[in-house]
Amino acid sequence: MPSQLLIIEVNRLDAARARLRLSGELDFESAPDLLAAAAELRREGYQELVLDFTDVALCDSSGLSALVRIHRAGTTGIHLTALQPQVRQLLTRTGLGELLAAPPGETGQARQAG
């Protein structure tokens, strides 16, 4: 079955912060799209990136790698919000939840769209 398209909706929240709302699957095929979007925002001067995982159905090792690369490329950390249970479990098992500023216990069901 082919990978579901990753849709990235960018919201510039203020002069330093932007939100990337992700929908679909963050995998080998789509991770470069996320890297490109984050790099473009960094070039525009956005220091803090909030990645909204409300509608992310799957995240594989390529997706995790992309998140680590985005984190390392910035002067401040990235913040992951509205994580689905599968993604949260993956971050917990790999120890990346703390590095990537994933709030403990937050899931997509607990967050209101904004």
Side-chain angles (χ1 to χ4, degrees):
M1 184 159 96
S3 175
Q4 183 182 2
L5 177 70
L6 180 70
I7 298 169
I8 304 168
E9 178 186 325
V10 176
N11 296 303
R12 289 156 176 86
L13 302 173
D14 57 39
R17 241 173 9 121
R19 175 183 298 131
L20 293 90
R21 184 175 177 139
L22 311 177
S23 300
E25 296 182 355
L26 181 54
D27 59 13
F28 178 78
E29 292 182 17
S30 62
D33 297 335
L34 179 58
L35 288 169
E40 177 65 26
L41 288 167
R42 298 281 196 208
R43 282 191 295 275
E44 291 177 16
Y46 291 92
Q47 298 301 310
E48 183 180 342
L49 301 180
V50 178
L51 280 67
D52 181 341
F53 274 71
T54 299
D55 297 317
V56 173
L58 173 128
C59 179
D60 70 5
S61 61
S62 297
L64 288 181
S65 176
L67 296 175
V68 171
R69 290 177 61 190
I70 293 167
H71 171 76
R72 288 183 178 167
T75 57
T76 61
I78 61 174
H79 302 280
L80 309 180
T81 64
L83 295 169
Q84 300 303 317
Q86 179 268 345
V87 176
R88 174 160 303 288
Q89 192 173 58
L90 188 59
L91 289 168
T92 300
R93 286 183 179 170
T94 59
L96 292 174
E98 290 181 30
L99 174 71
L100 299 176
E106 182 183 294
T107 66
Q109 291 78 25
R111 182 185 167 274
Q112 295 292 321

